[in-house]
Amino acid sequence: MRRSFKIVVLAKQVPDTRNVGKNAMKEDGTVNRAALPAIFNPEDMNALEQALRLKDRFPGSKVELLTMGPPRAADIIREGLFRGADGGILLTDRKFAGADTLATSYALSMALKKMNPDIIISGRQAIDGDTAQVGPQVAEKLSLPQITYVEEIGELCNDKFTLTRRLDNGVEVVRTPFPVVITINSSAPACRPRNAKYLMKYKHARTLTEEQDNEHNSYLPLLSLDYLRITEWSVSDVGGDESSYGLSGSPTKVKKIENIVLQAKESRRLTSEDKDIDELIKELISLHTIG
Amino acid sequence: MNNIIVYIETQEGKIADVSLELLTKGRTLSKRLGCRLEALIIGESVEFHKDELFAFGAEKIYIAEDPRLKFYTTLPYSAITIALFKEGKPRIALFGATPQGRDLAPRVSSALSSGLTADCTSLEIGDHKEPRGEKEYKDLLYQIRPAFGGNIIATIINPDHRPQMATVREGVMKKESLPVAVNGEVKRINTTKILTAPDFIVEIIERHIEERKIDIKGAPIIVAGGFGVGSRENFGLLSELAKVLGGEVGASRAAVDAGFAEHARQIGQTGVTVRPKLYIAAGISGQIQHTAGMDQSAMIISINSDPDAPIHQIADYAIVGDLNEVIPKIIRAYKNNSK
Ligand SMILES: Cc1cc2nc3c(=O)[nH]c(=O)nc-3n(C[C@H](O)[C@H](O)[C@H](O)COP(=O)(O)OP(=O)(O)OC[C@H]3O[C@@H](n4cnc5c(N)ncnc54)[C@H](O)[C@@H]3O)c2cc1C
């Protein structure tokens, strides 16, 4: 029996927190988010690769991305298209703003109900929060099983997938039916590069918002081809309970943000000169810290 | 009941350290709130753990035993936890930030629409007043964690939803048993009433558990390297120093991400937390996510060529210099002065 799947990849645009350099700091010592590049969350890239591999293995399958964010997060969908995805949806609405993981999962799950996929794949966690909560919460909201920390999607047998999970202390192989939510670890294979053919094809893909933006339509031709339209959904498109979205749907609140002022200890400054190092070692030996 | 409950994780027949650390913390919180400290343990045969849990202060232990629960799988474990929380309505629920806790806690929080804060580094009790003073809340759980890029500490609260849920990494909180165990009670959960066939649609077909080979948590001396070390080869310099001093090699996340060191060596908020008697930080800038995992070390030596690197501020001895020059000198000085 030939099978094909409808696969949705959950992907997030995140500030690149891995290298918060000095130029990303404001005068007052806080982080200047605007100075950080917005990137495709790394583990969501691993997730995209797993989805594309399923599409390669099961011809006729379709891969779509689903992302929630501001209008510029349309970049996430384009990046997916350039690498072999078939389409994507951007959930964007002021009413989604201020969402914690629970309100985010609610929004994603409402969109997923409309998309109705067989397999949902996301990265294990996003680097701007490292919470790893959205995958399991989406699964719960859709009453689906969740398989987290997955490194490999293996064989399909009797309508069940064999998945390998990579945990701190070893490996676990599980078998699951679908629909299912799978979260992928960074230890899974990296994503394939952009494909020149798709880059040409989707170069002008954009959302309606982008098209209405002056900067864009001044010199680009009007969209005549359907596949170049990136779909945007707002709260009214996905329906559901308005108060469950965004800030009002978020049980967790930030009470306080403190900037770090490192407490200066009484520290002794030393140079790399032999004399300094020698004295230090003698002192540590006499304190029985070493030796 | 409005009590505090700790989810107890077992690994290969042993209670995970993080669960005992959470009970230790739970004792302080429950005393402050004047409520009971409880524990939930799930497995095939786990009742024998009860004495250890009493010794760590659990006053009531919920036990869910069933041959089908031999290994953790999401659906049945979460069904039991959700059923218990719905009935018992705990005010606070704590989980280890382990692969298991990070799989289970979000599922439970979603089912109960309660908030969940990941990787807290500190938990406190305090009050809260809405900014416009409309409402006042007493005795909330302050869930404190570093956030965003490292230079802020956020205090998160869940004013209106219960339980207030948090995960905490292993090693962040102290683990201390009581001098005299609590004379507590045991309540068995009827699993057949909760579990249904669809809870078992995911099967485990194979497990290879490897003992963690690298154990930096127990090391008395840690020589940690950061991105400034520059390469995997150059980490050999740190290994040499660690060997000479009888310690272990640790690393910052930037060094792990760059492939200089194994993930098991990562120290900090998303790695291990360590408290050695000596911590040497070489080529590490000292972002909060890193220092959160090592600032309780008895003595800290920093080696960084940037005189303004934040790591120097928390060091007892701050060496401003090139690690490639300093580390061989330390090795030489040690060899000359010991014996
Ligand atoms: C959610 C989240 C969780 C995180 N969790 C962790 C965590 O658990 N652990 C962790 O470590 N980080 C964590 N981070 C990352 C953290 O914010 C920093 O990015 C990271 O710690 C920086 O590593 P580093 O100090 O090695 O690198 P850098 O910041 O790049 O610093 C390198 C340092 O080396 C010095 N240097 C360069 N060459 C030399 C030389 N030859 N001799 C001496 N000094 C030299 C430089 O002056 C510089 O100070 C996390 C970040 C986020 C957002």
Side-chain angles (χ1 to χ4, degrees):
Chain A
M1 187 183 63
R2 276 193 54 157
R3 271 227 66 123
S4 60
F5 297 97
K6 181 165 172 166
I7 306 160
V8 172
V9 176
L10 306 179
K12 184 179 185 188
Q13 192 175 50
V14 293
D16 193 351
T17 53
R18 289 171 305 179
N19 272 307
V20 181
K22 282 210 180 92
N23 50 1
M25 294 293 177
K26 291 193 260 183
E27 287 277 306
D28 62 358
T30 58
V31 180
N32 178 10
R33 296 180 189 219
L36 296 177
I39 59 165
F40 199 112
N41 178 52
E43 283 182 329
D44 297 343
M45 272 288 182
N46 300 101
L48 175 60
E49 175 60 24
Q50 289 302 317
L52 295 173
R53 286 183 181 203
L54 284 174
K55 181 177 156 181
D56 295 341
R57 277 167 62 190
F58 301 99
S61 295
K62 287 251 178 303
V63 173
E64 285 185 279
L65 290 102
L66 173 63
T67 189
M68 181 170 103
R72 69 167 182 174
D75 283 344
I76 294 293
I77 313 282
R78 271 187 293 271
E79 194 61 53
L81 293 170
F82 295 160
R83 292 170 197 250
D86 301 284
I89 285 165
L90 168 62
L91 280 181
T92 188
D93 192 322
R94 290 223 169 80
K95 292 185 185 128
F96 292 131
D100 69 0
T101 64
L102 198 75
T104 302
S105 317
Y106 181 72
L108 294 173
S109 66
M110 290 308 289
L112 286 163
K113 279 183 186 162
K114 215 170 142 172
M115 297 169 86
N116 198 25
D118 302 303
I119 304 171
I120 299 160
I121 311 183
S122 79
R124 177 186 52 133
Q125 62 189 30
I127 59 167
D128 58 347
D130 275 2
T131 72
Q133 291 171 4
V134 169
Q137 289 177 333
V138 164
E140 193 282 331
K141 300 221 174 303
L142 298 172
S143 301
L144 296 179
Q146 73 199 38
I147 315 289
T148 52
Y149 292 85
V150 170
E151 191 170 71
E152 196 190 322
I153 301 181
E155 60 165 13
L156 175 69
C157 181
N158 294 332
D159 272 348
K160 287 188 174 189
F161 278 103
T162 301
L163 305 176
T164 305
R165 306 178 69 210
R166 159 78 46 191
L167 307 174
D168 281 357
N169 58 346
V171 168
E172 192 178 272
V173 183
V174 301
R175 203 178 281 146
T176 182
F178 49 84
V180 60
V181 175
I182 299 171
T183 77
I184 305 288
N185 268 356
S186 58
S187 59
C191 192
R192 63 195 63 186
R194 293 175 176 182
N195 173 310
K197 193 177 80 196
Y198 297 136
L199 196 57
M200 283 305 291
K201 178 170 173 191
Y202 291 114
K203 202 164 54 179
H204 297 305
R206 55 198 192 273
T207 60
L208 191 62
T209 309
E210 285 173 321
E211 185 154 284
Q212 287 161 349
D213 192 341
N214 279 333
E215 215 185 320
H216 280 271
N217 65 20
S218 54
Y219 49 91
L220 286 177
L222 277 176
L223 273 188
S224 50
L225 297 162
D226 274 355
Y227 69 83
L228 290 179
R229 166 68 69 228
I230 296 174
T231 310
E232 287 170 300
W233 280 351
S234 64
V235 164
S236 60
D237 292 307
V238 289
D241 168 22
E242 277 215 12
S243 66
S244 297
Y245 290 110
L247 203 58
S248 59
S250 301
T252 59
K253 313 277 177 213
V254 177
K255 174 171 172 60
K256 193 169 72 177
I257 294 281
E258 273 170 287
N259 287 309
I260 297 302
V261 185
L262 288 173
Q263 278 174 355
K265 276 196 201 173
E266 224 184 291
S267 62
R268 289 233 326 256
R269 288 260 159 172
L270 307 174
T271 69
S272 54
E273 279 174 30
D274 290 350
K275 180 173 65 61
D276 275 17
I277 305 287
D278 212 52
E279 263 171 30
L280 167 66
I281 296 304
K282 282 187 180 141
E283 199 167 317
L284 292 183
I285 292 175
S286 71
L287 289 169
H288 299 287
T289 303
I290 56 174
Chain B
M1 65 179 174
N2 295 319
N3 291 312
I4 299 181
I5 190 158
V6 174
Y7 172 77
I8 305 297
E9 178 172 340
T10 57
Q11 294 161 348
E12 315 308 305
K14 259 191 67 199
I15 296 176
D17 279 346
V18 67
S19 304
L20 300 176
E21 291 159 10
L22 290 174
L23 281 177
T24 307
K25 183 70 192 183
R27 290 206 306 263
T28 318
L29 298 176
S30 63
K31 197 186 257 170
R32 166 76 174 70
L33 293 170
C35 69
R36 198 160 57 188
L37 178 61
E38 304 182 329
L40 164 63
I41 185 164
I42 304 176
E44 182 181 26
S45 145
V46 286
E47 180 151 4
F48 72 95
H49 289 302
K50 67 180 194 296
D51 294 331
E52 192 171 5
L53 298 176
F54 288 140
F56 275 84
E59 293 159 273
K60 183 167 185 179
I61 306 173
Y62 294 93
I63 296 183
E65 283 185 340
D66 191 313
R68 295 172 294 176
L69 299 173
K70 178 160 191 205
F71 297 114
Y72 173 83
T73 47
T74 312
L75 298 176
Y77 273 59
S78 58
I80 288 169
T81 309
I82 292 162
L84 178 67
F85 287 8
K86 275 190 177 155
E87 191 193 310
K89 300 199 173 20
R91 71 167 90 183
I92 294 174
L94 305 176
F95 295 75
T98 57
Q100 193 181 115
R102 283 154 68 83
D103 187 84
L104 174 65
R107 183 115 192 160
V108 173
S109 87
S110 173
L112 303 174
S113 292
S114 67
L116 169 62
T117 305
D119 298 339
C120 296
T121 50
S122 173
L123 297 170
E124 287 167 21
I125 303 295
D127 298 338
H128 175 65
K129 211 191 212 148
E130 298 273 87
R132 273 160 271 115
E134 316 88 290
K135 245 174 155 182
E136 263 189 74
Y137 298 86
K138 283 248 162 288
D139 293 340
L140 293 179
L141 180 68
Y142 286 1
Q143 302 146 51
I144 302 167
R145 73 181 303 240
F148 203 81
N151 76 335
I152 60 172
I153 293 270
T155 302
I156 314 283
I157 49 171
N158 314 352
D160 298 309
H161 298 260
R162 295 293 174 271
Q164 305 165 81
M165 293 177 57
T167 69
V168 176
R169 281 186 179 263
E170 184 174 302
V172 172
M173 306 206 160
K174 272 199 312 241
K175 175 180 122 186
E176 240 167 40
S177 59
L178 290 167
V180 183
V182 171
N183 183 11
E185 60 178 304
V186 165
K187 170 111 204 294
R188 300 186 69 88
I189 294 173
N190 183 348
T191 55
T192 46
K193 255 173 62 189
I194 299 170
L195 302 175
T196 57
D199 288 327
F200 296 96
I201 53 174
V202 176
E203 314 145 70
I204 298 178
I205 52 181
E206 234 179 285
R207 296 172 82 239
H208 317 275
I209 297 303
E210 301 146 12
E211 272 297 308
R212 247 182 281 178
K213 279 173 240 91
I214 305 166
D215 180 23
I216 55 171
K217 248 182 74 180
I221 295 175
I222 292 176
V223 182
F227 194 68
V229 174
S231 67
R232 192 173 182 99
E233 294 67 51
N234 223 20
F235 250 76
L237 200 56
L238 305 193
S239 310
E240 202 185 324
L241 178 58
K243 211 163 111 199
V244 172
L245 298 179
E248 268 287 354
V249 173
S252 73
R253 169 148 147 187
V256 171
D257 284 349
F260 302 168
E262 301 93 328
H263 185 259
R265 298 192 187 278
Q266 183 173 314
I267 291 165
Q269 188 197 341
T270 46
V272 263
T273 300
V274 295
R275 292 190 188 84
K277 62 175 183 170
L278 175 62
Y279 190 93
I280 303 179
I284 293 178
S285 56
Q287 305 294 327
I288 180 71
Q289 284 104 343
H290 184 78
T291 58
M294 48 66 75
D295 60 5
Q296 299 300 310
S297 306
M299 182 179 289
I300 299 168
I301 299 177
S302 57
I303 307 169
N304 197 307
S305 44
D306 176 2
D308 299 324
I311 192 76
H312 286 321
Q313 292 179 36
I314 61 159
D316 300 275
Y317 298 93
I319 306 175
V320 180
D322 185 340
L323 65 96
N324 296 301
E325 196 185 324
V326 174
I327 292 179
K329 284 188 183 178
I330 295 182
I331 296 173
R332 213 176 315 130
Y334 180 75
K335 286 185 173 160
N336 291 339
N337 289 301
S338 63
K339 73 183 121 168

